[in-house]
């Protein structure tokens, strides 16, 4: 049986490597998409890792069992931009061991519609997925990942169209994963993203509504 993460990744911790960057064709996290094109009977995308439960669980078991953290999953061609904490327990949100970062790919479109309608869709996705910190699906995008001994820095860029030659290279979001912290920090955690919906933005909106309601209640 081949190693869950491949031979080089298996040996990286023993050799003292700080980070493990693992490329995938699609996102590793299991995202409930019933508000998008899924259903209550089939809430997960069968074309993603979510439909390969045994292999996905075996990978998680290896990471947790061998105390391998600082893991960065990378994916392109996922038809949306995603910033997720890498965790197994979606119910409690505990046990984060890294980040799952994915983009549409420049040649792939995201959700249909304009920025406003794609933001509405993201507002439905984020609250029902405990690991999902940010979602954006209007721009065709790519990301750059910088690694050093203390942190991993991810920067997302996008263009509204590739039908014509243009110089658009719009910053969408950027964030860091601190060594051993194993979760998303930075602009996503603070909610100040250029495009898309972050969990922090939704939490602030809920807090504001709660404050307004409490002040208006006799």
């Amino acid at each position: 049986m081949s190693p869950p993460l491949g031979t080089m990744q298996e040996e990286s911790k023993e050799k003292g490597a700080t980070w493990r960057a693992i490329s995938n064709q699609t996102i590793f996290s299991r995202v409930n998409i019933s508000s998008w094109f899924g259903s209550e009977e089939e809430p997960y995308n069968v074309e993603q890792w979510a439909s390969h439960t045994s292999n996905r669980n075996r990978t998680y078991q290896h990471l947790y069992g061998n105390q391998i953290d600082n893991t960065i999953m990378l994916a392109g061609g996922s038809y949306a931009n995603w910033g997720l904490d890498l965790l197994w327990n979606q119910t409690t949100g505990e046990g984060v061991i890294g980040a799952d970062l994915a983009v549409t790919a420049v040649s792939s479109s995201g959700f249909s519609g304009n920025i406003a309608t794609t933001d509405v869709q993201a507002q439905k996705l984020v609250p029902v997925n405990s690991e999902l910190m940010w979602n954006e699906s209007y721009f065709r995008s790519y990301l750059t990942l910088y690694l050093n001994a203390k942190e991993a820095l991810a920067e997302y860029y996008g263009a509204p169209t590739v039908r014509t030659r243009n110089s658009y290279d719009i910053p969408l979001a950027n964030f860091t994963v601190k060594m051993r912290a194993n979760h998303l920090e930075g602009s996503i955690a603070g909610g100040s993203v250029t495009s898309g919906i972050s969990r922090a933005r939704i939490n602030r909106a809920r807090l504001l509504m709660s404050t307004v309601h409490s002040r208006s209640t006799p």
Side-chain angles (χ1 to χ4, degrees), residues 1-204:
M1 182 178 293
S2 60
L5 303 181
T7 302
M8 292 182 65
Q9 297 291 354
E10 295 279 285
E11 297 175 350
S12 64
K13 183 180 180 181
E14 297 177 2
K15 292 182 177 180
T18 301
W19 300 97
R20 276 146 289 282
I22 303 171
S23 60
N24 292 282
Q25 188 171 354
T26 186
I27 60 174
F28 186 78
S29 299
R30 189 176 64 173
V31 177
N32 185 324
I33 57 169
S34 55
S35 65
W36 182 10
F37 62 82
S39 64
E40 292 185 2
E41 293 75 23
E42 189 62 62
Y44 304 108
N45 190 338
V46 296
E47 296 182 358
Q48 296 180 346
W49 270 89
S51 64
H52 301 278
T53 305
S54 296
N55 290 338
R56 184 173 174 274
N57 287 347
R58 188 163 67 94
T59 301
Y60 268 129
Q61 287 169 351
H62 181 82
L63 291 172
Y64 284 109
N66 292 279
Q67 298 181 328
I68 299 174
D69 56 3
N70 291 343
T71 300
I72 308 291
M73 296 288 188
L74 298 169
S78 62
Y79 299 99
N81 299 305
W82 310 87
L84 306 106
D85 281 341
L86 189 63
L87 60 89
W88 194 355
N89 194 330
Q90 293 177 297
T91 302
T92 65
E94 298 177 348
V96 182
I97 54 173
D100 195 1
L101 313 175
V103 295
T104 63
V106 174
S107 60
S108 299
S109 60
F111 305 150
S112 59
N114 53 34
I115 292 177
T117 56
T118 55
D119 279 358
V120 169
Q121 181 59 68
Q123 286 176 328
K124 296 177 181 178
L125 282 171
V126 173
V128 298
N129 291 283
S130 59
E131 67 270 62
L132 182 54
M133 299 295 120
W134 172 69
N135 177 251
E136 195 285 328
S137 59
Y138 175 75
F139 290 94
R140 298 165 183 262
S141 64
Y142 69 94
L143 70 83
T144 60
L145 180 66
Y146 302 93
L147 303 173
N148 60 43
K150 295 182 178 180
E151 64 183 20
L153 171 63
E155 298 177 346
Y156 286 76
Y157 297 90
T161 181
V162 293
R163 291 184 177 180
T164 59
R165 185 184 297 273
N166 63 74
S167 59
Y168 291 122
D169 200 18
I170 302 170
L172 303 180
N174 62 80
F175 57 93
T176 59
V177 180
K178 299 291 186 182
M179 184 183 68
R180 305 283 182 249
N182 293 311
H183 63 84
L184 301 179
E185 297 179 356
S187 66
I188 287 181
S192 57
V193 296
T194 304
S195 184
I197 299 297
S198 70
R199 180 169 298 277
R201 176 177 172 180
I202 291 177
N203 289 342
R204 285 202 311 273

